[in-house]
Amino acid sequence: MSVVSPSNPSEEDIAAVAQNAERAVARISDAKADIARIIFGQETVVEQSLVTILAGGHGLLVGVPGLAKTKLVETLGTVLGLDARRIQFTPDLMPSDILGAEVMEQSADGGRSFRFIPGPVFSQLLMADEINRASPRTQSALLQAMQEYHVTVAGHPHDLPRPFHVLATQNPLEQEGTYPLPEAQLDRFLMQIDVHYPDLEAERRILLETTGAEQAQAQVAMSAEELMDYQQLVRRMPVGETVVEAILKLVRSARPDDEAEASDITKLIAWGPGPRASQALMLTVRARALVDGRLAPSIDDVLALAEPVLQHRMALTFAARADGHTVRDVIRRVKDSIA
């Protein structure tokens, strides 16, 4: 199998990556075990959340209330050794409530000066709870932070702590009075992670273990410095040529073609994912391999992450929606075409 990488690593580099990856796999396995003690029956959600953070990106958790989305983010912050904060998004939330503001202070000698008071965005793991309930002006306050890792207040840039990740939640119910996220901001999220109801056994365990006098507490499994090392390791992992070709074919097949060349699938698509989706898949398939204890990604990783990476980066035509087609159905057909 031919191996490709932007930096064309030597055999020594690949050996060093493999050695570091073996140590990382053990630490990540410990982190997953600690999370599993708190979060029951959401293995796919936990995996995708870890993949998002290891890939250095931001995630959008979508699910109905009561599925432990907030608890998951809180647990991730503790287990990964991150400074985690939470913002409850409401219609009256202002950008300064997120970013911070400059206030005027008067010293003992009567002199006056401005001092910047940082907002909750100055954290390593920020939970934006029900992000679609805030106004577009407030939602956009996160754009620069998520993309450039600094914010500008009163013309002065302020760097955010590293690592910096946003895990936002969105409730698919009660859409009246909410502000849907614009496509430009949705594209800032590496993955959309759908949170479903737990199965019977998982819900039974939830009932027994969360309603007693004693409850399990999350434990620190790694430090923020270790996490950043693993994020760099993900970028150094080799990727096979077949995986690269699968990513390219998947993303390009999810875009609309010219009317003359449109296939049965592409004629359903109004607009599709850009190169940022390809970049997201290149990073997330490596991170998923590391989370699963493997030293290189496979085509199965591409297929497994196709939906969370692509579904919020494309839209169907009005005719396709009227005929009952959904984005997930289209992605499934695209996956079948390259499997």
Side-chain angles (χ1 to χ4, degrees):
M1 179 186 70
S2 60
V3 175
V4 297
S5 175
S7 57
N8 294 321
S10 63
E11 293 184 3
E12 292 79 7
D13 292 333
I14 294 177
V17 169
Q19 186 176 7
N20 293 335
E22 289 176 356
R23 291 195 296 267
V25 164
R27 300 290 284 167
I28 294 171
S29 178
D30 292 341
K32 288 175 63 178
D34 279 332
I35 295 171
R37 293 172 50 248
I38 311 297
I39 306 297
F40 310 130
Q42 298 287 3
E43 289 82 4
T44 300
V45 175
V46 170
E47 177 187 82
Q48 292 180 359
S49 299
L50 281 173
V51 165
T52 299
I53 293 176
L54 283 170
H58 314 287
L60 180 63
L61 298 163
V62 179
V64 300
L67 296 183
K69 299 186 296 295
T70 302
K71 188 68 173 178
L72 171 61
V73 179
E74 176 186 321
T75 303
L76 283 169
T78 301
V79 171
L80 300 180
L82 302 177
D83 173 25
R85 300 186 185 182
R86 175 176 176 267
I87 302 174
Q88 180 66 53
F89 277 65
T90 57
D92 60 346
L93 193 72
M94 299 295 291
S96 59
D97 296 327
I98 299 174
L99 306 181
E102 287 195 332
V103 297
M104 180 176 290
E105 290 187 332
Q106 184 169 341
S107 61
D109 60 2
R112 295 181 178 180
S113 62
F114 284 99
R115 180 171 68 91
F116 176 67
I117 300 178
V121 74
F122 287 85
S123 59
Q124 294 174 319
L125 181 61
L126 178 67
M127 179 178 185
D129 205 358
E130 294 188 293
I131 189 172
N132 58 327
R133 296 207 174 276
S135 66
R137 179 185 178 188
T138 302
Q139 292 173 3
S140 64
L142 282 176
L143 277 176
Q144 184 184 30
M146 294 171 63
Q147 185 67 23
E148 302 177 16
Y149 299 98
H150 73 263
V151 299
T152 303
V153 177
H156 300 290
H158 301 274
D159 292 332
L160 295 171
R162 301 303 299 268
F164 173 73
H165 302 281
V166 174
L167 290 181
T169 68
Q170 187 167 287
N171 180 0
L173 305 177
E174 302 178 39
Q175 292 303 304
E176 185 175 353
T178 62
Y179 303 87
L181 291 171
E183 287 78 8
Q185 188 164 354
L186 280 174
D187 200 32
R188 297 295 194 275
F189 289 100
L190 194 70
M191 291 202 297
Q192 176 180 316
I193 304 169
D194 292 331
V195 186
H196 302 291
Y197 293 109
D199 59 30
L200 176 61
E201 290 306 315
E203 192 160 1
R204 185 191 307 277
R205 188 180 174 193
I206 291 171
L207 288 177
L208 296 176
E209 299 196 24
T210 64
T211 59
E214 297 182 2
Q215 297 185 25
Q217 299 295 323
Q219 304 294 324
V220 179
M222 67 178 69
S223 66
E225 290 73 20
E226 285 181 290
L227 176 60
M228 287 191 289
D229 289 341
Y230 300 154
Q231 290 173 343
Q232 289 301 312
L233 175 64
V234 165
R235 290 179 171 269
R236 295 173 57 200
M237 290 175 66
V239 182
E241 180 68 36
T242 55
V243 174
V244 175
E245 292 301 319
I247 291 173
L248 289 171
K249 185 175 181 180
L250 177 73
V251 175
R252 296 181 69 83
S253 298
R255 297 171 182 166
D257 289 332
D258 295 334
E259 193 66 30
E261 302 178 2
S263 66
D264 290 341
I265 298 177
T266 56
K267 69 181 181 181
L268 303 174
I269 302 171
W271 54 269
R276 188 176 284 163
S278 304
Q279 295 172 320
L281 277 170
M282 275 290 283
L283 289 171
T284 54
V285 297
R286 292 163 166 169
R288 186 175 189 266
L290 198 61
V291 169
D292 287 348
R294 292 176 281 114
L295 305 184
S298 66
I299 293 180
D300 288 339
D301 295 313
V302 178
L303 298 177
L305 295 175
E307 185 173 305
V309 169
L310 298 182
Q311 64 179 327
H312 59 297
R313 291 185 165 98
M314 56 189 298
L316 304 186
T317 63
F318 175 79
R321 298 196 305 274
D323 290 339
H325 296 284
T326 65
V327 169
R328 293 183 181 87
D329 293 336
V330 171
I331 293 175
R332 193 174 300 114
R333 293 174 63 179
V334 172
K335 286 166 57 178
D336 291 341
S337 69
I338 72 166

